[in-house]
């Protein structure tokens, strides 16, 4: 794949965790980064940190749950900055959605952010990227996309949607000049994982995960899975017959 020079980037969910880390990582490598999220004060703190390091991160108040408004704002931004080279759909939420105690409000909240919001972010300026014959869209899925995790039906399904969505885009956009990358993180220290009350094997430090992710994106990798100690068995679990998987998942639960 031909090298691509990146000038501008949009990262959603940039107020904390992987999104914040990636926005700062890209800015330190010379990109003009638009850090999007709902918590403006945290975005402004990120911008100040970047400025102190001689980099440029511009806060962008954006709520991907308001899909139509978010798409309109991203298109405006694309015009204002002379074209977005990189769009990273990172904003995401988790939460327990157990089949025996399923609550539509929780399910819908996850779908609104992880499915509708992510798809809206990725497609907002994709037609313009195709016209320009340059650009890169990145979706942050999860290793949870490979199988339905016990107690997390909505989260696993939302990340499976994003993974399949990115795969189809990758096939469609081959030869168009537009790159497609899907990232499958395991457990990474963040505000979201801090709320988990279950074991998180091979929990990664945020900086280490960001380094892997950033380098892979700039290389133009089509898929990124990490950490390998969790990614490898997770891929193998995908081919387990359902009775074996169901029994193992119940024991882990």
């Amino acid at each position: 794949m031909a090298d691509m020079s990146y000038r501008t980037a949009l990262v959603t969910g940039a107020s904390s965790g992987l999104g914040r880390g990636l926005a700062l990582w890209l800015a330190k490598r010379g990109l003009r980064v638009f850090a999007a999220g709902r918590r403006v004060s945290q975005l402004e703190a990120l911008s100040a940190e970047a400025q102190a390091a001689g980099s440029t991160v511009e806060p962008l108040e954006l709520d991907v749950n308001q899909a139509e408004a978010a798409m309109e704002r991203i298109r405006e931004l694309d015009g204002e900055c002379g074209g977005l080279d990189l769009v990273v759909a990172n904003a995401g939420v988790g939460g327990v959605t157990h089949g025996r105690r399923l609550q539509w409000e929780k399910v819908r909240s996850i779908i609104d952010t992880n499915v509708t919001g992510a798809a809206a972010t990725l497609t907002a300026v994709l037609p313009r990227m195709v016209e320009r014959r340059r650009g890169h869209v990145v979706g942050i899925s999860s290793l949870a996309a490979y199988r339905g995790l016990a107690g997390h039906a909505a989260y696993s399904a939302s990340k499976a949607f994003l993974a399949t969505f990115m795969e189809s885009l990758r096939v469609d956009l081959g030869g168009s000049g537009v790159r497609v990358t899907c990232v499958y993180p395991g457990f990474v220290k963040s505000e979201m994982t801090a709320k988990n009350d279950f074991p998180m094997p091979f929990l990664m430090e945020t900086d280490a995960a960001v380094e892997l992710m950033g380098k892979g994106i700039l290389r133009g990798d089509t898929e990124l899975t990490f950490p390998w100690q969790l990614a490898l068995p997770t891929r193998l679990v995908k081919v387990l017959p359902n009775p074996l998987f169901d029994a193992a998942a119940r024991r882990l639960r």
Side-chain angles (χ1 to χ4, degrees), residues 109-245:
S109 174
I110 291 170
I111 292 172
D112 284 348
T113 302
N114 297 6
V115 175
T116 308
T121 299
L122 292 163
T123 58
V125 295
L126 189 55
R128 297 180 185 179
M129 287 182 171
V130 173
E131 289 177 5
R132 295 191 290 255
R133 295 194 62 79
R134 62 175 283 118
H136 192 166
V137 288
V138 178
I140 309 302
S141 180
S142 167
L143 291 178
Y146 282 100
R147 302 272 336 214
L149 299 184
H152 291 80
Y155 181 76
S156 288
S158 71
K159 293 304 185 178
F161 165 87
L162 186 54
T164 304
F165 187 72
M166 300 307 292
E167 186 166 54
S168 291
L169 289 183
R170 187 183 75 236
V171 173
D172 290 343
L173 295 172
S176 71
V178 180
R179 292 175 167 179
V180 178
T181 299
C182 188
V183 183
Y184 300 80
F187 296 112
V188 178
K189 288 185 179 179
S190 67
E191 286 184 17
M192 189 165 75
T193 56
K195 299 174 185 176
N196 292 342
D197 59 356
F198 51 82
M200 293 181 284
F202 306 107
L203 179 67
M204 291 187 71
E205 295 292 336
T206 305
D207 289 347
V210 165
E211 187 77 13
L212 284 173
M213 192 163 61
K215 287 182 177 178
I217 289 171
L218 295 189
R219 280 195 307 265
D221 292 356
T222 58
E223 288 190 353
L224 292 165
T225 58
F226 56 84
W228 69 265
Q229 300 97 324
L230 189 59
L232 180 60
T234 300
R235 284 179 176 271
L236 294 175
V237 165
K238 180 67 176 173
V239 299
L240 272 183
N242 285 346
L244 291 178
F245 170 76

Side-chain angles (χ1 to χ4, degrees), residues 29-109:
R29 279 146 188 86
L31 280 75
R32 180 186 180 189
V33 179
F34 299 95
R38 293 179 293 183
R39 294 178 289 181
V40 177
S41 61
Q42 291 182 245
L43 297 176
E44 290 175 343
L46 169 61
S47 178
E49 182 178 344
Q51 186 175 9
S55 307
T56 303
V57 171
E58 299 183 29
L60 179 70
E61 186 173 5
L62 191 77
D63 184 357
V64 300
N65 288 340
Q66 306 299 318
E68 300 299 328
M71 290 183 74
E72 182 178 352
R73 184 65 188 97
I74 294 169
R75 288 174 183 144
E76 289 174 355
L77 180 64
D78 184 71
E80 292 166 2
C81 73
L84 288 165
D85 293 325
L86 175 63
V87 174
V88 182
N90 169 76
V93 295
V96 175
T97 51
H98 196 289
R100 293 175 185 255
R101 301 177 296 277
L102 205 57
Q103 297 176 334
W104 169 240
E105 292 78 11
K106 287 187 177 180
V107 172
R108 181 172 181 173
S109 174

